[in-house]
């Protein structure tokens, strides 16, 4: 029996006090959940259009600086996705749908693909979740009673992170003639290839591609339909690409190419270069499309050869599609479709699984590189994610405004603010090998060897008579100490250590001596008007 696991995120009510606490909510299978992050918002329950099945007359867009609006809607009368789309158009930041019967939480899925629904499903960008009927009634009562209902949606544990490497799977298909969904998948593969290969080459991730197949009932294995859609005598099948058995390619052609792509991955993995799979599938898509009648073995082998892979090994891996025996590669795929542990059965294409948890939101709606990368990056412990997770595709850019509220040294333009896909963190930085230490919010001080290289270690410094003076000591002891001949706190000031009267005498004598030296030198080369004899110290015998 199939098992579909509902992916949940934590929902906390922070006010009013009488309903304060944590509750489960089931993540919608469309839109973009903020994996690795959280959202605080104010719950609103509309006076009209409570089920959200038509456009809203009111605007729920938050004013600048105000807390986001989370719209509460009732289940029923229309598709879940349509409710969320109407709420998004009205300015809501997220949607909670209250169930209309008492039952275990289910995943809000997308409707069967048609022209009208496809137009809005791929444009849904706000997160949504289903909540239990009893909890929904409590929220509605509080809102209707005029109370401010604040909740916090938390996706930080929606993707587990057991170690320092993220394991993820993409259940995909080589068919490029299945409409909008196939077009989005092919576009995603091209867009995501670069990031996927960086993660794999750096050892940050372990990626595995998968392909869904089904088997033909034994009683129909000799039928025309099964023969055209299946290989290995009905054991492994795929739908007809054009939904027409009389023209174009057959389902068995898709199964064979899916099998070839699995074997490309296995052979590439044996050579310690599993990321070559991404090159093959994107090159095959470009060079061997169904529309140009190039979706065949000859074109596939040309791609394989160009990537330097062993064609004989790949053919051996694929076996004979006409044999009346199990194909070990495809049998393994069918077994993998069955849910294990916290992961349910894979029934939807495409499906992303991160650390054995099915990812909701982007699939099967809008495939987008940044959202998928964010889901994968949320599988890392916070602050351990690789640099690609801080690319412009997923950065929140919170540090651009007031340094994110973190410590900032204006003189050296150094900040403790660090952007991550989860949001900003305030951590004292490491600059040119020198570590700053502090809470990251109000203080960060340089410490350790090399500290004097950074803004003189925060100590006093000055330049006098062509000489540079600094109170910074790099000996690991006292941080700021005025140099020899100076006195002061070493931080804001250091003054020459000579008493007032003595300093004036000292200054006068030095100036008088220097004047006499200069005049004596000039007198050797030219007569000076009204020049009395000037003592010449140039030839004086002195130590």
């Amino acid at each position: 029996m199939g098992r579909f696991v509902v992916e949940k995120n934590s929902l906390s009510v922070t006010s009013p006090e009488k309903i304060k606490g944590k509750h489960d909510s089931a993540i919608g299978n469309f839109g973009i959940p903020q994996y690795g992050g959280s959202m605080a918002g104010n719950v609103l329950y509309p006076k009209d259009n409570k089920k959200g099945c038509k456009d809203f007359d009111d605007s729920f867009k938050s004013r600048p600086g105000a807390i986001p609006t989370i719209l509460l809607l009732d289940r029923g009368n229309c598709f879940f996705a349509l409710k969320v789309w109407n709420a998004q158009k009205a300015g809501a930041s997220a949607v909670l749908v209250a169930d209309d019967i008492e039952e275990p939480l289910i995943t809000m899925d997308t409707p069967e693909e048609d022209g009208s629904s496809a137009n809005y499903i791929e444009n849904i960008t706000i997160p949504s979740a289903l909540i239990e009927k009893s909890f929904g009634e409590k929220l509605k009562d509080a809102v209707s009673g005029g109370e401010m209902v604040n909740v916090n949606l938390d996706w930080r544990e929606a993707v587990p992170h057991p170690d320092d490497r993220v394991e993820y799977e993409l259940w995909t298909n080589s068919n490029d003639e299945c409409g909008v969904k196939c077009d989005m998948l092919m576009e995603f593969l091209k867009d995501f290839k670069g990031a996927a290969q960086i993660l794999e080459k750096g050892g940050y991730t372990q990626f595995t591609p998968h392909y869904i197949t089904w088997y033909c009932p034994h009683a129909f294995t000799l039928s025309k339909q099964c023969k055209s859609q299946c290989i290995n005598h009905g054991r492994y099948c795929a739908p007809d690409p054009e939904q027409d058995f009389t023209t174009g390619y057959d389902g068995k052609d898709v199964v064979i190419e899916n099998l070839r792509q699995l074997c490309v991955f296995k052979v590439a993995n044996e050579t310690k270069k599993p990321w070559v799979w991404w090159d093959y599938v994107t090159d095959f898509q470009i060079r061997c499309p169904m529309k140009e009648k190039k979706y065949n073995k000859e074109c596939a082998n040309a791609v394989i050869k160009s990537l330097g892979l062993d064609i004989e090994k790949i053919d051996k891996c694929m076996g004979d599609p006409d044999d009346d025996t199990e194909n070990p590669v495809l049998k393994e795929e069918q077994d993998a479709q069955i849910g294990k542990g916290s992961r349910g059965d894979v029934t939807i294409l495409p499906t992303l699984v991160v650390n054995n948890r099915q990812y909701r939101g982007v699939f099967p709606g809008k495939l987008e590189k940044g959202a998928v990368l964010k889901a994968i990056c949320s599988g890392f412990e916070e602050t351990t994610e690789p640099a690609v997770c801080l690319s412009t595709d997923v950065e929140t850019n919170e540090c651009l405004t007031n340094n994110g509220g973190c410590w900032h040294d204006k003189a050296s333009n150094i900040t403790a603010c660090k952007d991550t896909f989860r949001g900003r963190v305030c951590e004292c930085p490491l600059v040119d090998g020198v570590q700053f230490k502090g809470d990251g919010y109000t203080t960060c001080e340089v410490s350790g060897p090399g500290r004097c290289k950074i803004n003189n270690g925060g100590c006093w410094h000055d330049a006098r008579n062509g000489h540079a003076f600094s109170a910074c000591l790099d000996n690991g002891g006292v941080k700021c100490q005025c140099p020899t001949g100076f006195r002061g706190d070493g931080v804001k000031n250091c003054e020459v250590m000579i008493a007032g009267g003595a300093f004036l005498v000292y200054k006068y004598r030095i100036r008088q001596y220097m004047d006499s030296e200069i005049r004596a030198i000039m007198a050797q080369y030219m007569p000076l008007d009204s020049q009395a004899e000037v003592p010449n110290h140039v030839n004086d015998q002195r130590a």
Side-chain angles (χ1 to χ4, degrees):
M1 182 175 179
R3 186 170 64 88
F4 191 81
V5 174
V6 178
E7 305 303 328
K8 299 178 181 178
N9 65 294
S10 174
L11 187 158
S12 300
V13 178
T14 55
S15 69
E17 191 68 28
K18 63 183 180 182
I19 58 173
K20 189 175 180 179
K22 282 191 174 184
H23 303 267
D24 280 338
S25 59
I27 300 173
N29 204 27
F30 44 81
I32 304 179
Q34 304 299 311
Y35 282 100
S38 61
M39 175 190 292
N42 180 40
V43 177
L44 293 182
Y45 183 52
K47 294 180 180 179
D48 302 306
N49 193 20
K50 296 181 184 297
K51 294 186 177 180
C53 293
K54 58 184 180 180
D55 288 345
F56 288 95
D57 295 328
D58 298 325
S59 173
F60 303 109
K61 187 173 181 62
S62 302
R63 295 178 180 177
I67 191 170
T69 298
I70 299 177
L71 195 62
L72 176 63
L73 299 174
D74 292 328
R75 183 180 178 181
N77 290 10
C78 62
F79 295 129
F80 290 122
L82 181 59
K83 297 175 187 285
V84 177
W85 173 239
N86 288 334
Q88 178 178 307
K89 288 191 296 179
S93 298
V95 173
L96 296 178
V97 177
D99 207 341
D100 54 358
I101 58 174
E102 291 294 352
E103 63 175 349
L105 289 172
I106 64 171
T107 296
M108 298 189 297
D109 209 345
T110 53
E112 288 297 320
E113 189 173 297
D114 58 48
S116 60
S117 62
N119 289 335
Y120 64 80
I121 290 173
E122 66 178 38
N123 291 313
I124 295 175
T125 57
I126 65 173
S128 60
L130 181 72
I131 59 175
E132 294 175 345
K133 180 183 179 182
S134 58
F135 176 46
E137 294 298 330
K138 292 179 181 178
L139 290 178
K140 285 184 275 188
D141 289 344
V143 173
S144 301
E147 297 190 76
M148 178 178 283
V149 179
N150 290 332
V151 302
N152 189 65
L153 295 170
D154 194 340
W155 294 272
R156 283 176 291 187
E157 295 304 321
V159 177
H161 30 71
D163 53 34
D164 58 358
R165 185 182 70 175
V166 171
E167 298 176 6
Y168 73 105
E169 309 166 5
L170 177 64
W171 290 80
T172 181
N173 196 355
S174 64
N175 178 7
D176 62 9
E177 283 290 297
C178 65
V180 174
K181 196 171 291 187
C182 281
D183 293 341
M184 286 193 300
L185 174 59
M186 299 305 166
E187 194 64 30
F188 166 73
L189 290 173
K190 288 191 292 185
D191 288 347
F192 195 68
K193 181 180 80 168
Q197 291 182 325
I198 289 172
L199 289 167
E200 201 74 8
K201 290 177 181 179
Y204 299 111
T205 59
Q206 180 178 320
F207 168 73
T208 307
H210 287 293
Y211 297 79
I212 290 180
T213 63
W214 48 274
Y215 64 88
C216 189
H218 185 70
F220 299 95
T221 54
L222 298 179
S223 68
K224 180 181 178 181
Q225 290 87 344
C226 278
K227 285 185 176 180
S228 67
Q229 296 183 86
C230 310
I231 65 173
N232 294 95
H233 289 248
R235 289 179 174 85
Y236 313 105
C237 313
D240 187 280
E242 299 91 359
Q243 306 283 313
D244 186 346
F245 295 113
T246 63
T247 184
Y249 290 96
D250 295 323
K252 67 179 181 181
D253 297 318
V254 176
V255 178
I256 290 172
E257 179 53 33
N258 288 350
L259 175 59
R260 181 177 291 109
Q261 293 188 5
L262 284 166
C263 288
V264 164
F265 177 76
K266 287 183 177 294
V267 171
N269 202 27
E270 289 172 1
T271 62
K272 308 298 182 185
K273 296 180 179 179
W275 51 84
V276 174
W277 177 87
W278 291 90
D279 292 317
Y280 175 79
V281 295
T282 51
D283 287 359
F284 181 83
Q285 170 197 344
I286 295 168
R287 297 172 60 180
C288 312
M290 289 182 174
K291 292 177 182 177
E292 297 180 14
K293 308 299 180 186
K294 295 180 180 179
Y295 187 91
N296 52 46
K297 181 178 180 179
E298 290 72 27
C299 189
N301 282 348
V303 177
I304 292 169
K305 184 178 179 180
S306 70
L307 296 174
L309 296 173
D310 192 322
I311 294 178
E312 290 186 5
K313 283 188 176 181
I314 292 172
D315 287 343
K316 184 178 180 181
C317 168
M318 293 178 65
D320 188 347
D322 295 323
D323 282 351
D324 188 8
T325 58
E326 295 279 8
N327 181 295
V329 176
L330 292 176
K331 180 65 169 62
E332 188 177 326
E333 291 300 289
Q334 286 186 341
D335 291 342
Q337 286 173 224
I338 301 171
K340 297 177 179 65
S342 60
R343 198 213 75 190
D345 295 349
V346 177
T347 58
I348 301 171
L349 276 179
T351 289
L352 180 71
V353 178
V354 181
N355 284 346
N356 204 38
R357 189 76 62 85
Q358 284 193 36
Y359 168 63
R360 303 292 180 202
V362 171
F363 302 113
K366 183 179 180 181
L367 290 99
E368 196 267 327
K369 172 188 172 183
V372 175
L373 182 58
K374 189 171 184 179
I376 292 171
C377 290
S378 67
F380 295 99
E381 289 282 1
E382 192 162 353
T383 74
T384 67
E385 59 273 350
V388 69
C389 291
L390 304 178
S391 68
T392 53
D393 292 298
V394 292
E395 278 184 357
T396 57
N397 293 322
E398 292 180 35
C399 293
L400 297 180
T401 304
N402 196 31
N403 289 285
C406 304
W407 171 87
H408 178 223
D409 186 323
K410 294 182 179 179
S412 53
N413 195 27
I414 298 173
T415 179
C417 191
K418 179 182 178 183
D419 260 317
T420 76
F421 65 94
R422 295 180 174 92
R424 70 99 176 94
V425 293
C426 296
E427 291 183 345
C428 293
L430 178 70
V431 180
D432 293 336
V434 181
Q435 180 64 58
F436 285 71
K437 292 185 177 180
D439 61 14
Y441 294 92
T442 59
T443 60
C444 283
E445 296 180 352
V446 287
S447 64
R451 55 181 291 273
C452 294
K453 295 188 298 181
I454 308 296
N455 196 26
N456 288 281
C459 302
W460 170 90
H461 64 282
D462 196 5
R464 299 186 181 185
N465 298 325
H467 296 283
F469 298 94
S470 173
C472 185
L473 297 178
D474 224 348
N475 58 9
V478 179
K479 293 182 177 179
C480 298
Q481 181 177 306
C482 291
T484 303
F486 291 80
R487 66 180 178 184
D489 61 13
V491 178
K492 295 182 178 180
N493 63 77
C494 286
E495 298 291 342
V496 177
M497 287 198 309
I498 300 177
F503 176 69
L504 292 176
V505 173
Y506 167 79
K507 183 177 179 182
Y508 173 76
R509 291 184 63 183
I510 287 293
R511 182 173 178 179
Q512 186 182 49
Y513 175 80
M514 292 180 65
D515 284 348
S516 65
E517 289 287 306
I518 293 170
R519 291 173 67 84
I521 293 172
M522 294 180 66
Q524 294 181 40
Y525 299 97
M526 66 179 69
L528 297 178
D529 294 339
S530 303
Q531 173 64 55
E533 186 177 349
V534 178
N536 185 352
H537 303 284
V538 175
N539 297 318
D540 286 353
Q541 296 297 319
R542 57 180 186 272

